[in-house]
Amino acid sequence: MEKQLYQPLGGNEMPRFGGIATMLRLPQRDSAAGLDAAFVGVPLDVGTSLRPGTRFGPRGIRAESVMIRPYNMATGAAPFDSLAVADIGDVAINTFNLLDSVRIIEQAYDGILEHGTIPLTLGGDHTITLPILRAIKRRHGKVGLVHVDAHADVNDHMFGEKIAHGTTFRRAVEEELLDCERVVQIGLRAQGYTANDFNWSREQGFRVVQAEECWHKSLEPLMAEVRRKVDGGPVYLSFDIDGIDPAWAPGTGTPEIGGLTTIQAIEIIRGCQGLDLVGCDLVEVSPPYDTTGNTSLLGANLLYEMLCVLPGVVRR
Ligand code: MN
Ligand code: MN
């Protein structure tokens, strides 16, 4: 059977401010069957520790994605010419119960992955990456990880809870979801609960790139190093929007000054080209704190850039 490809609805067929706001104005599908890659929303914010609002992240990102056109003019990537991509809607999380939500997300991703589909996730707070990685492990085994964030998210607990948006990667290590020698964390900064906070990551074998190491420079050389570190197996890309400076991405729950630029964000994602990416997420966009829509706009464009570096994308 010939593969069914889909194109985003063009601005000359329906005004960009009209129609149903699916991700990139792609068709909506009920399941991942037949799709090489699928956009999926996880509207969860009950794992967050300061400002809420990421429950509106998938909606905000979809709304700001309407101007994105099919062809990547910088890299030549033409994702819709070779990959079948659609928006499969949101996971029906239980907003009254975080642990039940984690169970629901895990189950939903098992269902997506069984079709061989690569999930591109619209968060949601960073808690969602744990159940996604659990499902990814069942399908692909341990993965390498490119994790962009202001925070390491390796707390042992938050307010006594083992599952929250700041514990995700400690749980992922404990549950052996990660190939720790193939993990890089980029953009970490600000203050710790102890002076040692980032060293726990280093002790696991992660390469930790604090934000200061990124200041005032292109990240292309860093990404050559990152590719060498994480290559050699399946890789997951988890992008917390608070890795970017609040000047560009104010709409998020736990902002930290001195962050990465939007240009560096693009360099990081384009620098992942050639890796065996098996899933990507863009988390922590909180539209209630995003008065201009710029944070959602950035999130939408970064998700498009992630799509452009997936295995099998043709270049023109
Ligand atoms: Mn995070
Ligand atoms: Mn963060």
Side-chain angles (χ1 to χ4, degrees), residues 126 147-153 165-166 168-169 240 242 254 283-284:
H126 222 154
H147 170 207
V148 183
D149 206 317
H151 314 98
D153 293 351
H165 75 154
T168 294
F169 297 100
D240 183 329
D242 72 29
T254 48
V283 297
E284 297 284 354

Side-chain angles (χ1 to χ4, degrees), residues 108-277:
Y109 278 74
D110 279 338
I112 294 166
L113 293 165
E114 80 181 10
H115 297 290
T117 306
I118 300 175
L120 294 153
T121 301
L122 292 60
D125 74 58
H126 222 154
T127 312
I128 69 175
T129 304
L130 179 64
I132 294 171
L133 287 173
R134 286 173 177 166
I136 292 262
K137 163 96 184 273
R138 278 193 286 277
R139 174 83 194 184
H140 297 285
K142 286 185 189 183
V143 288
L145 175 73
V146 178
H147 170 207
V148 183
D149 206 317
H151 314 98
D153 293 351
V154 295
N155 293 294
D156 185 34
H157 67 89
M158 297 184 89
F159 218 78
E161 297 294 329
K162 289 287 195 180
I163 305 270
H165 75 154
T167 66
T168 294
F169 297 100
R170 184 175 294 233
R171 295 292 93 76
V173 169
E174 289 170 352
E175 297 181 19
E176 301 186 343
L177 310 179
L178 302 176
D179 183 353
C180 292
E181 293 299 323
R182 296 194 296 118
V183 174
V184 178
Q185 297 184 298
I186 306 171
L188 311 197
R189 59 188 186 270
Q191 308 80 32
Y193 284 102
T194 74
N196 253 335
D197 273 10
F198 297 158
N199 289 336
W200 188 89
S201 292
R202 294 186 175 102
E203 286 159 11
Q204 311 313 308
F206 299 4
R207 165 79 160 98
V208 174
V209 184
Q210 291 183 223
E212 289 78 3
E213 193 180 333
C214 304
W215 286 359
H216 314 300
K217 61 173 98 142
S218 165
L219 297 190
E220 277 184 25
L222 172 70
M223 289 312 294
E225 181 203 328
V226 168
R227 283 193 299 276
R228 284 194 299 276
K229 169 91 172 162
V230 306
D231 206 1
V235 177
Y236 190 82
L237 171 58
S238 187
F239 202 119
D240 183 329
I241 200 74
D242 72 29
I244 310 305
D245 193 88
W248 292 282
T252 194
T254 48
E256 307 281 6
I257 66 163
L260 307 180
T261 68
T262 57
I263 294 169
Q264 290 174 323
I266 294 169
E267 288 177 328
I268 289 170
I269 296 171
R270 290 183 185 165
C272 290
Q273 207 222 323
L275 296 175
D276 180 19
L277 287 170

Side-chain angles (χ1 to χ4, degrees), residues 85-125:
V85 192
D87 185 332
I88 59 168
D90 289 343
V91 176
I93 58 102
N94 175 357
T95 198
F96 303 105
N97 187 324
L98 179 61
L99 295 183
D100 191 42
S101 293
V102 165
R103 180 191 63 78
I104 291 166
I105 295 164
E106 210 174 311
Q107 205 169 48
Y109 278 74
D110 279 338
I112 294 166
L113 293 165
E114 80 181 10
H115 297 290
T117 306
I118 300 175
L120 294 153
T121 301
L122 292 60
D125 74 58

